[in-house]
Amino acid sequence: MIAFIRLMIEGAYKNFVRVAARRDRITSIEIRESVASQSVPMQETVLDETCIGCSGCFHVCPTQAITMVQLEKPVEIIEGYSRTQVPRIDFLKCIYCLNCHDICPIYSVFGEAAPIHARDVGAPRLTLQEILKKPVRAPPDKILELSKLIPAESIALISRRENN
Amino acid sequence: MASQNPVKQKEVVEIEKELSFGPIHPALLEPYRIRLFVNDEYVEDCELTVNVAYRGIEKLFEGLPIERALVIAEKVCGICSNVHAFNAVRVIEGGLNIEVPTRASYIRVLVHEIQRMTSHLLFFGHAFEVLGHETFAMRSFLLRETFMDLMAYIGGNRVMASVPIIGGIRPRADLTEPLKKTILSRLDEFEDKYTDYVNRIMADPMVMSRLTGVGLLSKDEAIKWYATGPTGRASGWDFDLRRDMKEYKPFDFKVIVLNEGDNKARVVARALEIFESIKIMRQVVKNLPEGPVVNRQWIAGKMDYTIAYIETYRGELMHSYGLDEHGLIRNYKIRTPTITNLAAMEQACIGDHVTDAMVTIASCDPCLTCCTRAEVVEKGRSRVMTDQEVVRNYGWRH
Amino acid sequence: MSLKARSRRNAIHAMLFYSGGCNGCDIEVANALLSPRYDLEQYKVLFTWNPREADVLIVSGIIAWQLLEPLKKIYSMIPNPKAVVAIGSCPINGNVYKNLVGDIGVNEDIFAPLDNIIPVDVKVPGCPPRPEDILEGVVKGVPKLVEAP
Amino acid sequence: MDTISFTLLLIASSVIAIVIATLYSLVLPGIERKVQARIQQRIGPPILTPGFWSVIKFTYKEKVEPIAQMPRLYKCSVYLGVVVVAFLLLFSTPYWWAVLSWGSILGIVGLLKIEEVIYVFMGSQSQSILSTSMPMPDLAKGSKHIGTRREFVEQHSAERAIKMMAIGSLPIYLALIVPFVVGKSILISDVVSFQNPAFFSAPWYGLPLPSHPILFTVPGFLATIPFFLGYTILLNEKPFSILKAKIDVIEGGVLEYASTLRAAYYVMRNLLLFALSSIFVTLFIGIPFDPFTPFVFLLNMLLSIILPVCLAVLVAFSPILTFRQIYPVAIGLSAIGVLAMILAVSI
Ligand code: SF4
Ligand code: SF4
Ligand code: SF4
Ligand code: SF4
Ligand code: SF4
Ligand code: SF4
Ligand code: SF4
Ligand code: SF4
């Protein structure tokens, strides 16, 4: 009881200062301003600097949430290879299955800011130039194995889109 | 659930009335239904209907490649997200003998403990909200932000951090030197504030008078209903799987066991566990060995039905599945702690005031998304019906 | 601005309907509400559990079938004007629960998307959305309330 | 003064007092919330939001019929509540003190009792969706106790309201008696003139300050404790909000009030917050709520903020108590009240 009274007296002073002088306030003013002006920054998803514009993510998305946006000016990433398009995700369609993340050769969708599929994400700190210098052709058995991991329906979608 | 378990033989009491709450109700953060059978204001019997948020999650796993399944495993629950991913990979690692590098194992433990903190602090938030103490609830949510931030730093998302993967952890979640420093300094900061917070609560006579001596659960009952985790430990049942887990071998920590078995003990048990978790986290960060964080030398193939148990924040969690020859999941089963803890709570709240009974139910940290599954309904001869059939046959009301 | 519009803009009562899903969104809404760091009340949004008092219905989760009727009922009990905010990709499209193409194909036990059940005014995507997204989403529902007759 | 001009002045003072008090009382919940928010280290809603704007907004909402056993009675209860509270407020305006025996303690006690009974009415009427009538297949699944009477949470709250009536309001009554004992009269005017002899002779622009406020005597100070906690009990605020305990009965009997009815309920609750506070300032400090002496009037309004702010702090730091704790607390408070009364007699 005595301990409580001591705490109460200490607390009374602390809280009096809080009420009277707005001390110790921890509401984030940054968030307050961005919400009030309706400008909360979007979740970061596609890492534009590293994307090579291969549109693999576009093809594998089961809900067609991804569109490839043409760049006004192609960006040359490495000699002889330039990026002409980048993917944009429509979050209202996305189901966070992270297929796109898995297929991306450099994991630049959902790269950092969002959940990453519990599968392996390789070595994200490689630079793009290093990646592109590596041989890019996958061995056939690897492709076969990969095709098992991707849902049948997604593959069906790919072929459907290609047929159209 | 109670209808399945008519174990407790009591003389039949006259029930004056029934009060039902939920599924949308301030005391429930999640949809479930509480039916209290009361005389005057005192609870004579209690039934919880937990099947409300049914998603058929175990069925969703069926036939998925094991790597893809981890996306769902994590979404079994947004409170325990990490522990489900963790235990899902432990199943296959045990079944196919996949070696996990030590560094990865350390970091898994770190994230596991971080989420234990968020979970326990959420418990305080919820428990105090149910007690009606808004300020303490808010303070606890404020303290929780420390660990939400750490989760986001390590895994990239506040809730779904996806740290464990088969054979190790995601390389992104590896601890860098600056991150280690941040973790240690945030822990120190947290410990100071948290100590004050706990002392303040413990000294508050009004809060304590609400908690002490209410919702008694004896050790025998705890064991009978298999109330694991802090719920059982607060009743004197010395049971903590972490002592047997090889991941926890290198760390030194105490298992908090209290004997009172009332609501206060359940709150105190969690409050003290947080200090132990801080200890473990410090050890992880200070003793983190160098080395690789993931072992990629494995191929998913045929695996027998394998079981893995883990000590989560609320008790014992079981994941189990088998793999077919293509590495596709067969027969995924999850048994979560809340399902048994709630059965214990149904017993514990008998004899309490209605308002206290809500606190008792909250004191086992109920969270049900994971444990909503098919229910057995017996009518005449025992027969199994799904809820949908029940409603089709009997309508919504009778 | 008329008194009507000003009063609607300055006092908003929000109610949470949690309809299955993984809890993640639910806890983040609680975070936006209860954590002093986010503090929903500073945006003139007061929280309530009574549909008769509410203006904004926050829905999270995948709408499990047992919650379908309660959802419709509670929606119908809110007096006009009212707005619905769907939090997380669960009510927007069912998230992975609806369709991850395992052996079962499309999951028919859940009733997402929410649009099919009640009109939705604001969608806050994310899994889970960050508390600041939730705050912004709730605030975005206000113009609909203000403009209503 | 002849009867007609007295009546006119009476009506004028009542109207002015009620209008200003209502508007002012709509600011108080905002101040309360702001105080709590600062204690909780956050910004909190703007001051006008919880009271003023909410009430106006509710009047603009669609009118819906409440689900109640007898909807008309249910709707009347809240308006009756507003009227009762408005009359209660008039106890602190001097013109009413001269009307029959209105200006005595008996009137205050009587009205407070009606106010409490209203909660029982509301609770037994309302039948919201949030408990028994929620469409859930729980009955279909069967249970150990088939055929038990199912109660709405509001009805449960009405039962609690009866219990609170029996014990909860005792402290505030005892505390209210103290100034009358000190003033040795059952008339409010005597109590005020005992503390503030200059009040009745002061000109309209004057600011007569009380010479011996009862608050600063030992019995007066002691009586403040049961008064304040009794105030909390009457307002059903934490820690004594058992009949509106959010975690089981949600809001109790007022669950079904929507749109205009809810606005009326807000007005009732906030006006009670102010009226009791203003009565306290009148009886314990001797500064009445007199619309015709503006400075005294303003001073009363200013001092009437103290109780709501104290209430806000108490609410921020207390859980809900159940009857297990409320009975002893009420008995203890009553004991303090009796002690204060004994001391008051011996003054
Ligand atoms: S093979 Fe890989 S890099 Fe090439 S288009 Fe497909 S996903 Fe992109
Ligand atoms: S996560 Fe899935 S649904 Fe979302 S964009 Fe990627 S592939 Fe499409
Ligand atoms: S798969 Fe990766 S690299 Fe290819 S377009 Fe998509 S984001 Fe860019
Ligand atoms: S399997 Fe091939 S395409 Fe896929 S990440 Fe590896 S190298 Fe890239
Ligand atoms: S026990 Fe609770 S927190 Fe853990 S997974 Fe289940 S619902 Fe989530
Ligand atoms: S128990 Fe329920 S969740 Fe599990 S597989 Fe059966 S139906 Fe699905
Ligand atoms: S299998 Fe599921 S339903 Fe059956 S007893 Fe075990 S937990 Fe209960
Ligand atoms: S959107 Fe994601 S976090 Fe939210 S409830 Fe659904 S699965 Fe959980």
Side-chain angles (χ1 to χ4, degrees):
Chain A
M1 198 63 204
I2 293 180
F4 177 65
I5 291 171
R6 217 190 59 228
L7 272 176
M8 231 169 84
I9 293 167
E10 283 169 14
Y13 171 70
K14 207 157 62 184
N15 284 307
F16 178 75
V17 179
R18 277 181 188 153
V19 173
R22 300 191 206 168
R23 259 256 293 282
D24 291 352
R25 193 166 71 194
I26 30 192
T27 308
S28 159
I29 297 299
E30 201 182 309
I31 293 177
R32 179 184 162 89
E33 276 160 8
S34 60
V35 169
S37 59
Q38 301 273 301
S39 57
V40 176
M42 274 303 282
Q43 270 174 338
E44 205 186 333
T45 44
V46 181
L47 304 179
D48 281 356
E49 312 83 65
T50 51
C51 171
I52 54 170
C54 70
S55 78
C57 51
F58 166 72
H59 284 297
V60 85
C61 176
T63 58
Q64 309 188 1
I66 299 182
T67 42
M68 298 301 294
V69 181
Q70 291 294 332
L71 291 175
E72 280 167 20
K73 204 164 68 191
V75 182
E76 185 163 66
I77 307 171
I78 192 176
E79 243 186 84
Y81 186 87
S82 35
R83 160 174 73 216
T84 56
Q85 48 183 2
V86 283
R88 285 290 167 264
I89 300 181
D90 176 359
F91 285 104
L92 295 181
K93 287 188 186 161
C94 175
I95 60 168
Y96 297 86
C97 66
L98 303 172
N99 280 358
C100 52
H101 175 265
D102 288 354
I103 197 79
C104 178
I106 42 185
Y107 304 108
S108 62
V109 211
F110 287 109
E112 294 276 311
I116 296 184
H117 173 226
R119 221 188 108 153
D120 192 356
V121 297
R125 290 185 188 85
L126 249 105
T127 69
L128 187 56
Q129 277 73 12
E130 284 168 330
I131 292 168
L132 286 176
K133 278 188 192 122
K134 285 183 177 171
V136 286
R137 186 154 300 280
D141 57 331
K142 192 79 189 165
I143 290 177
L144 198 72
E145 206 178 293
L146 257 180
S147 71
K148 285 184 210 146
L149 295 182
I150 300 168
E153 193 149 298
S154 307
I155 294 172
L157 278 174
I158 296 172
S159 45
R160 209 185 317 139
R161 269 193 234 168
E162 275 166 359
N163 290 345
N164 289 346
Chain B
M1 264 194 314
S3 56
Q4 291 174 11
N5 301 308
V7 179
K8 206 168 202 178
Q9 291 299 324
K10 282 182 302 161
E11 70 274 35
V12 183
V13 276
E14 276 301 308
I15 302 290
E16 186 186 321
K17 63 191 178 191
E18 174 194 336
L19 287 172
S20 26
F21 310 96
I24 302 303
H25 194 278
L28 322 175
L29 265 181
E30 282 170 59
Y32 60 107
R33 182 114 167 137
I34 303 178
R35 293 174 77 186
L36 296 179
F37 297 94
V38 298
N39 272 334
D40 183 19
E41 289 252 22
Y42 291 89
V43 179
E44 296 289 352
D45 205 347
C46 165
E47 276 183 34
L48 302 173
T49 308
V50 295
N51 195 21
V52 179
Y54 174 74
R55 293 167 295 178
I57 194 126
E58 287 171 346
K59 272 190 288 181
L60 285 174
F61 285 103
E62 201 63 26
L64 281 182
I66 172 66
E67 297 93 334
R68 295 228 53 78
L70 299 184
V71 168
I72 305 185
E74 188 161 51
K75 285 178 191 175
V76 166
C77 176
I79 307 174
C80 274
S81 58
N82 179 66
V83 83
H84 285 280
F86 191 0
N87 208 27
V89 300
R90 287 177 79 238
V91 176
I92 178 171
E93 282 163 6
L96 296 181
N97 282 324
I98 299 167
E99 193 68 35
V100 181
T102 333
R103 188 179 171 89
S105 170
Y106 269 57
I107 293 174
R108 283 179 182 187
V109 167
L110 174 74
V111 178
H112 190 48
E113 293 302 318
I114 288 180
Q115 210 169 48
R116 185 183 306 277
M117 308 289 257
T118 65
S119 172
H120 281 1
L121 288 166
L122 178 73
F123 164 79
F124 287 131
H126 184 201
F128 283 114
E129 192 62 9
V130 171
L131 275 178
H133 205 307
E134 208 186 32
T135 307
F136 282 172
M138 288 195 175
R139 301 248 152 105
S140 144
F141 269 100
L142 174 64
L143 290 169
R144 190 170 177 263
E145 284 297 310
T146 308
F147 296 97
M148 298 307 272
D149 282 350
L150 290 183
M151 280 290 264
Y153 296 156
I154 296 175
N157 187 289
R158 286 164 53 93
V159 176
M160 308 282 179
S162 307
V163 172
I165 57 174
I166 300 169
I169 60 160
R170 253 171 56 212
R172 189 227 187 266
D174 194 6
L175 293 191
T176 56
E177 284 304 320
L179 192 51
K180 277 192 202 168
K181 266 201 213 94
T182 317
I183 293 175
L184 287 178
S185 70
R186 294 293 291 262
L187 276 180
D188 292 342
E189 202 182 306
F190 169 82
E191 198 175 7
D192 285 351
K193 288 194 187 141
Y194 178 73
T195 316
D196 285 351
Y197 174 70
V198 170
N199 287 340
R200 174 70 181 77
I201 292 173
M202 289 303 163
D204 192 317
M206 275 199 281
V207 170
M208 283 303 134
S209 78
R210 278 300 303 284
L211 293 174
T212 324
V214 176
L216 288 170
L217 183 74
S218 68
K219 183 174 171 183
D220 293 341
E221 268 182 325
I223 294 174
K224 180 169 96 186
W225 295 103
Y226 207 61
T228 48
T231 314
R233 289 198 286 274
S235 294
W237 184 20
D238 191 358
F239 176 83
D240 190 328
L241 281 177
R242 281 184 291 174
R243 271 198 293 239
D244 311 326
M245 283 166 60
K246 65 174 184 308
E247 285 90 342
Y248 277 86
K249 281 275 138 61
F251 307 113
D252 165 42
F253 63 97
K254 271 213 310 282
V255 175
I256 308 290
V257 181
L258 301 171
N259 290 318
E260 289 86 351
D262 58 357
N263 287 346
K264 181 181 170 192
R266 287 190 276 272
V267 171
V268 174
R270 288 185 172 86
L272 297 179
E273 271 184 18
I274 286 186
F275 289 110
E276 297 302 314
S277 292
I278 295 179
K279 238 160 74 186
I280 298 177
M281 284 191 265
R282 289 224 175 91
Q283 291 173 42
V284 170
V285 176
K286 288 192 178 135
N287 306 338
L288 190 67
E290 291 300 322
V293 292
V294 60
N295 159 20
R296 300 202 179 105
Q297 311 305 316
W298 59 272
I299 307 159
K302 185 152 177 55
M303 181 180 87
D304 279 345
Y305 192 69
T306 314
I307 298 180
Y309 293 97
I310 192 171
E311 180 75 23
T312 74
Y313 327 124
R314 286 157 176 83
E316 180 198 85
L317 168 73
M318 183 271 287
H319 271 240
S320 60
Y321 50 80
L323 297 177
D324 66 11
E325 52 280 13
H326 305 292
L328 303 182
I329 288 183
R330 293 299 166 209
N331 205 5
Y332 207 112
K333 284 280 167 262
I334 304 174
R335 216 262 342 277
T336 47
T338 300
I339 220 169
T340 48
N341 286 356
L342 272 177
M345 284 305 117
E346 280 185 347
Q347 302 300 310
C349 69
I350 290 175
D352 291 350
H353 186 274
V354 172
T355 314
D356 283 334
M358 300 304 243
V359 180
T360 306
I361 293 172
S363 77
C364 90
D365 214 355
C367 44
L368 303 149
T369 48
C370 61
C371 52
T372 50
R373 53 187 66 241
E375 218 165 82
V376 183
V377 177
E378 310 199 0
K379 190 182 173 285
R381 271 173 295 135
S382 90
R383 193 176 132 219
V384 181
M385 273 191 269
T386 66
D387 282 357
Q388 248 143 339
E389 276 179 285
V390 173
V391 171
R392 214 172 295 128
N393 295 350
Y394 302 103
W396 280 91
R397 308 225 53 96
H398 294 287
Chain C
M1 216 194 301
S2 71
L3 188 63
K4 178 156 64 170
R6 283 190 66 179
S7 68
R8 282 179 180 166
R9 187 177 296 279
N10 278 300
I12 302 139
H13 285 80
M15 176 182 177
L16 172 65
F17 189 103
Y18 173 77
S19 68
C22 88
N23 248 345
C25 286
D26 202 34
I27 304 299
E28 292 295 81
V29 173
N31 236 323
L33 169 71
L34 282 174
S35 169
R37 180 157 152 202
Y38 301 106
D39 186 23
L40 188 57
E41 280 190 351
Q42 63 178 306
Y43 307 104
K44 302 159 189 159
V45 180
L46 306 169
F47 206 74
T48 172
W49 281 99
N50 181 1
R52 293 302 199 183
E53 194 177 14
D55 307 304
V56 176
L57 183 65
I58 301 174
V59 182
S60 72
I62 39 90
I63 307 113
W65 71 272
Q66 290 196 13
L67 287 159
L68 189 61
E69 281 303 311
L71 175 61
K72 287 182 189 160
K73 257 242 167 90
I74 281 185
Y75 178 75
S76 72
M77 304 205 84
I78 301 177
N80 283 323
K82 53 194 166 191
V84 176
V85 179
I87 301 282
S89 81
C90 275
I92 296 173
N93 54 30
N95 207 319
V96 291
Y97 309 117
K98 186 85 183 172
N99 184 357
L100 202 68
V101 206
D103 278 2
I104 61 157
V106 175
N107 186 350
E108 277 158 10
D109 284 329
I110 63 179
F111 287 80
L114 184 60
D115 304 57
N116 298 347
I117 303 163
I118 54 176
V120 179
D121 300 295
V122 183
K123 294 176 177 174
V124 182
C127 181
R130 299 159 299 171
E132 51 262 45
D133 295 332
I134 295 174
L135 297 174
E136 193 188 38
V138 176
V139 174
K140 266 188 195 155
V142 178
K144 169 170 183 210
L145 298 172
V146 173
E147 283 148 22
Chain D
M1 211 190 309
D2 61 81
T3 328
I4 296 180
S5 64
F6 176 78
T7 316
L8 286 178
L9 284 172
L10 179 73
I11 294 174
S13 83
S14 316
V15 171
I16 298 175
I18 290 180
V19 168
I20 295 186
T22 310
L23 288 179
Y24 183 60
S25 74
L26 293 182
V27 183
L28 294 179
I31 295 176
E32 259 184 285
R33 202 69 193 137
K34 201 80 183 173
V35 169
Q36 285 167 14
R38 294 235 171 118
I39 288 175
Q40 289 155 352
Q41 298 169 276
R42 61 200 176 93
I43 295 179
I47 285 191
L48 288 181
T49 294
F52 184 73
W53 290 122
S54 298
V55 167
I56 296 184
K57 178 197 76 176
F58 283 126
T59 58
Y60 282 118
K61 286 210 97 170
E62 177 202 19
K63 313 251 173 310
V64 290
E65 194 67 5
I67 306 176
Q69 256 170 5
M70 288 178 272
R72 203 164 303 153
L73 177 62
Y74 185 61
K75 285 193 277 190
C76 287
S77 320
V78 65
Y79 292 124
L80 178 65
V82 175
V83 172
V84 168
V85 177
F87 270 114
L88 199 58
L89 173 82
L90 296 179
F91 276 104
S92 42
T93 61
Y95 271 93
W96 279 88
W97 298 343
V99 183
L100 298 174
S101 64
W102 187 256
S104 78
I105 176 162
L106 300 175
I108 303 185
V109 171
L111 284 180
L112 284 179
K113 213 72 220 174
I114 299 178
E115 171 67 27
E116 286 180 282
V117 174
I118 287 172
Y119 276 101
V120 182
F121 271 127
M122 288 174 175
S124 54
Q125 290 298 314
S126 163
Q127 299 191 325
S128 88
I129 187 191
L130 290 165
S131 59
T132 300
S133 50
M134 180 78 80
M136 278 296 294
D138 54 349
L139 279 192
K141 284 182 197 159
S143 90
K144 269 185 280 178
H145 310 279
I146 293 172
T148 316
R149 186 166 58 90
R150 311 185 85 204
E151 238 186 31
F152 285 90
V153 287
E154 296 96 313
Q155 286 159 1
H156 192 65
S157 133
E159 281 162 31
R160 289 181 177 175
I162 293 174
K163 286 189 192 164
M164 288 305 278
M165 258 170 69
I167 45 121
S169 42
L170 205 58
I172 199 168
Y173 294 160
L174 287 171
L176 272 173
I177 292 171
V178 170
F180 293 92
V181 174
V182 175
K184 299 196 173 50
S185 161
I186 63 158
L187 296 178
I188 300 175
S189 51
D190 292 343
V191 175
V192 172
S193 58
F194 171 81
Q195 305 176 64
N196 195 351
F199 175 70
F200 287 101
S201 50
W204 69 271
Y205 50 82
L207 178 55
L209 288 177
S211 51
H212 4 35
I214 293 175
L215 179 63
F216 299 133
T217 62
V218 177
F221 183 75
L222 270 185
T224 312
I225 301 167
F227 188 96
F228 173 61
L229 292 173
Y231 175 69
T232 321
I233 294 175
L234 279 178
L235 281 162
N236 302 314
E237 284 294 343
K238 276 188 285 189
F240 303 106
S241 65
I242 185 89
L243 73 91
K244 282 203 262 172
K246 195 176 98 184
I247 51 129
D248 47 8
V249 296
I250 311 179
E251 286 182 297
V254 302
L255 262 175
E256 271 298 308
Y257 288 125
S259 50
T260 327
L261 293 168
R262 184 154 281 272
Y265 163 66
Y266 269 49
V267 168
M268 166 183 143
R269 190 254 172 206
N270 298 339
L271 202 54
L272 183 63
L273 189 74
F274 176 72
L276 283 175
S277 188
S278 174
I279 286 178
F280 176 78
V281 176
T282 310
L283 290 182
F284 282 76
I285 310 185
I287 299 173
F289 190 60
D290 181 4
F292 294 147
T293 41
F295 292 113
V296 178
F297 184 68
L298 286 178
L299 193 59
N300 177 297
M301 278 177 31
L302 206 65
L303 290 175
S304 297
I305 261 192
I306 296 172
L307 279 192
V309 169
C310 292
L311 179 67
V313 175
L314 180 70
V315 169
F317 283 112
S318 45
I320 294 170
L321 297 182
T322 62
F323 285 111
R324 201 156 58 98
Q325 293 97 12
I326 290 178
Y327 286 132
V329 169
I331 292 168
L333 287 176
S334 306
I336 298 179
V338 171
L339 180 67
M341 219 154 65
I342 293 169
L343 288 177
V345 172
S346 60
I347 277 186

